[in-house]
Amino acid sequence: KYTLLSCLAYRLFKNGKRIPIYRELLSSSNNAIWRSQYRLSPIECNTAFEAFVSEIIILLEPGVSLSSYNDLFSKLVLLESILNKKLALKSLPTVSWFKPPKDGWKSIVEPVLAEWKTKCYELRGKVIHEGYSKVTLSEAADAHEAAVSTIKYIYSIVQKTI
């Protein structure tokens, strides 16, 4: 039995295109909510966000090596820098996601990123590192929506640079 997603994936792959992994992870997060497996959703949607950030960095700076950026915070700082260079080249306003000194998550000033951190990243950390297994539907849905909103926010900036 074929699902719409598997048919779409086959068509896209047959045509030489690929489905970004972050989209598959977001779909998996949504499916976890649908199946009432709420603790899986923040893991899937946070991983989707991390994959998205890496994919966008590589899209904007194809030669960059991400191996020296071993955590999500440093990748977001790198992405902010790359975006600001590209925005400046087009004489567009730059973004400021972190207050100086860019010293970890406590330096977030961008509201969309702050909401993602609170609703998605921290919940994922609780599930993974503290064994929190009683994630509610509301928490899972909020985590998913925060990840999607943050991806859309960053993508809207990326579109201005391309």
Side-chain angles (χ1 to χ4, degrees):
K1 193 174 195 179
Y2 296 101
T3 65
L4 178 61
L5 180 60
S6 66
C7 291
L8 178 62
Y10 175 74
R11 244 183 312 185
L12 288 174
F13 286 134
K14 186 176 179 182
N15 292 333
K17 296 180 183 174
R18 64 183 185 91
I19 296 175
I21 189 71
Y22 78 89
R23 288 188 188 173
E24 292 184 38
L25 289 163
L26 286 175
S27 178
S28 183
S29 166
N30 213 25
N31 286 337
I33 294 170
W34 181 76
R35 292 187 318 267
S36 301
Q37 295 178 333
Y38 305 130
R39 70 181 179 85
L40 295 177
S41 182
I43 297 167
E44 297 280 0
C45 61
N46 193 74
T47 305
F49 179 68
E50 290 188 40
F52 171 79
V53 168
S54 294
E55 288 183 26
I56 291 299
I57 290 170
I58 291 167
L59 172 74
L60 296 174
E61 292 286 328
V64 73
S65 171
L66 292 177
S67 62
S68 59
Y69 299 91
N70 56 1
D71 61 64
L72 181 57
F73 179 78
S74 63
K75 288 177 185 173
L76 281 170
V77 170
L78 173 63
L79 180 56
E80 177 189 41
S81 173
I82 292 168
L83 285 171
N84 281 336
K85 286 178 199 167
K86 295 196 176 285
L87 289 166
L89 285 173
K90 293 196 170 208
S91 300
L92 295 170
T94 59
V95 295
S96 181
W97 295 343
F98 306 98
K99 68 180 176 195
K102 295 175 182 177
D103 185 26
W105 296 117
K106 63 185 173 211
S107 62
I108 291 178
V109 293
E110 168 51 51
V112 176
L113 280 172
E115 183 172 348
W116 159 81
K117 180 191 170 279
T118 302
K119 292 183 176 179
C120 185
Y121 182 78
E122 290 177 1
L123 180 59
R124 174 225 162 257
K126 223 171 130 178
V127 170
I128 296 291
H129 301 295
E130 299 174 23
Y132 180 59
S133 61
K134 296 187 191 253
V135 177
T136 66
L137 168 60
S138 177
E139 288 174 314
D142 286 351
H144 183 86
E145 183 55 38
V148 169
S149 294
T150 308
I151 287 169
K152 285 180 179 179
Y153 162 74
I154 293 172
Y155 190 73
S156 72
I157 298 167
V158 170
Q159 286 182 311
K160 295 175 189 176
T161 69
I162 298 176

